[in-house]
Amino acid sequence: MGEHRRTILITGASAGIGAALARECAGRGYDLILTARREGPLKALAEELAAQHGVTADIVVADLAEPGAPVALVEAIAVRGVRADGLINNAGFSRTTGFLATDPADHASMIRVMLTAPVELSRLLLPDMVARGWGRVLNVASLAGQMPATGGDTLYGPIKSFLIKASQGLWLETQGTGVHVTALCPGYTYTEFHDVNGSREQVSSAYPKWMWMDADRVARIGWEAVEANRPRVTPGVANNVLAALGGLLPDSLALKMLGGHAKRLDRL
């Protein structure tokens, strides 16, 4: 048998940044395990990547909002005789109707998908990566995790902030093991994300075009950062400036500015 080809597990791979990361990794010769809730888009993407890049792309349909889903996902991969040499925690969604107006079940799903699942999947897969002396973990966070809080989408920023801090801690813990851990913090990116949560028209009107980035470019920057073993990367000059300002402004001013922006969104 030839040398083992490394395989990357990508959650939320059916569209958006997840699909862009799948294309980026396939273009670099990695085999893939693609997971999301929708089987149709996963199959189409797997067939596209196999045809264009000659890689193997397995799919596993899973809903990470379900308790026990991370364990079941890892078990399903093992049953197929496939191993995950790398992990991209990308699955996520948002509710923008306000904390008080959002169903508590949706809050619980957000926390399980974007916070609990990345923690559990990392804990399940990292020991074997360390034992083999090679691994890549890319956690797709957000510019929102580096900015002051906003009202309305109340949990999204704090969850992403947690993911950034957790990634930095894992980066420290895995130094010298051959495992790289990076938090990818994109700003506004052209994907299906805003179509799903119904905010596409609002955010497109509220933010100038220079603030938006293409998903393929975000994916390339993210994967190059994890290969280089950078603990965090924020694509785009404008987003880096915003992140720096977010850390420098006093809370009273930053919250006022973001609160005013949220009101503009509501009026659109």
Side-chain angles (χ1 to χ4, degrees):
M1 294 181 64
E3 182 181 352
H4 172 77
R5 284 177 50 150
R6 292 182 173 124
T7 301
I8 310 297
L9 167 62
I10 306 176
T11 72
S14 59
I17 293 175
L21 282 162
R23 295 185 177 99
E24 180 69 24
C25 290
R28 294 172 181 264
Y30 290 104
D31 289 334
L32 301 167
I33 307 164
L34 309 175
T35 185
R37 294 179 302 165
R38 300 179 296 167
E39 184 176 19
L42 284 180
K43 280 187 174 180
L45 180 60
E47 291 171 359
E48 170 198 326
L49 298 178
Q52 290 188 1
H53 302 288
V55 301
T56 299
D58 289 303
I59 68 169
V60 180
V61 178
D63 184 357
L64 293 177
E66 296 293 332
V71 172
L73 173 59
V74 172
E75 290 176 348
I77 294 169
V79 165
R80 299 181 185 201
V82 182
R83 79 183 194 198
D85 301 291
L87 168 65
I88 297 176
N89 286 305
N90 169 75
F93 66 96
S94 166
R95 291 291 179 263
T96 59
T97 54
F99 185 84
L100 301 181
T102 299
D103 189 327
D106 286 336
H107 285 156
S109 293
M110 281 184 67
I111 292 168
R112 281 196 292 266
V113 171
M114 296 196 295
L115 192 156
T116 305
V119 170
E120 292 187 4
L121 287 171
S122 296
R123 182 61 182 86
L124 288 165
L125 297 174
L126 271 169
D128 285 343
M129 294 184 198
V130 171
R132 291 192 293 263
W134 196 95
R136 301 289 184 267
V137 177
L138 183 64
N139 291 320
V140 180
S142 172
L143 175 64
Q146 302 176 86
M147 301 292 288
T150 58
D153 200 3
T154 307
L155 294 184
Y156 185 82
I159 288 171
K160 294 301 189 180
S161 181
F162 171 92
L163 198 57
I164 293 168
K165 296 294 186 184
S167 301
Q168 291 170 327
L170 283 175
W171 181 86
L172 288 169
E173 191 168 341
T174 55
Q175 289 304 287
T177 67
V179 174
H180 299 179
V181 181
T182 298
L184 171 61
C185 303
Y188 281 106
T189 307
Y190 288 114
T191 72
E192 289 183 355
F193 181 88
H194 299 103
D195 297 320
V196 171
N197 71 13
S199 65
R200 163 68 72 181
E201 184 176 350
Q202 288 179 312
V203 296
S204 295
S205 300
Y207 290 93
K209 289 184 177 181
W210 57 263
M211 290 187 67
W212 291 82
M213 292 186 67
D214 180 81
D216 291 338
R217 184 182 173 201
V218 169
R220 183 175 66 254
I221 291 170
W223 193 255
E224 287 175 351
V226 76
E227 289 285 12
N229 200 21
R230 296 174 59 188
R232 179 176 62 184
V233 63
T234 302
V237 174
N239 290 328
N240 279 276
V241 171
L242 289 171
L245 286 174
L248 292 173
L249 293 174
D251 281 353
S252 58
L253 178 58
L255 292 174
K256 184 178 180 179
M257 290 174 61
L258 289 174
H261 177 71
K263 289 179 181 177
R264 290 197 300 275
L265 282 175
D266 290 339
R267 290 195 297 266
L268 290 173

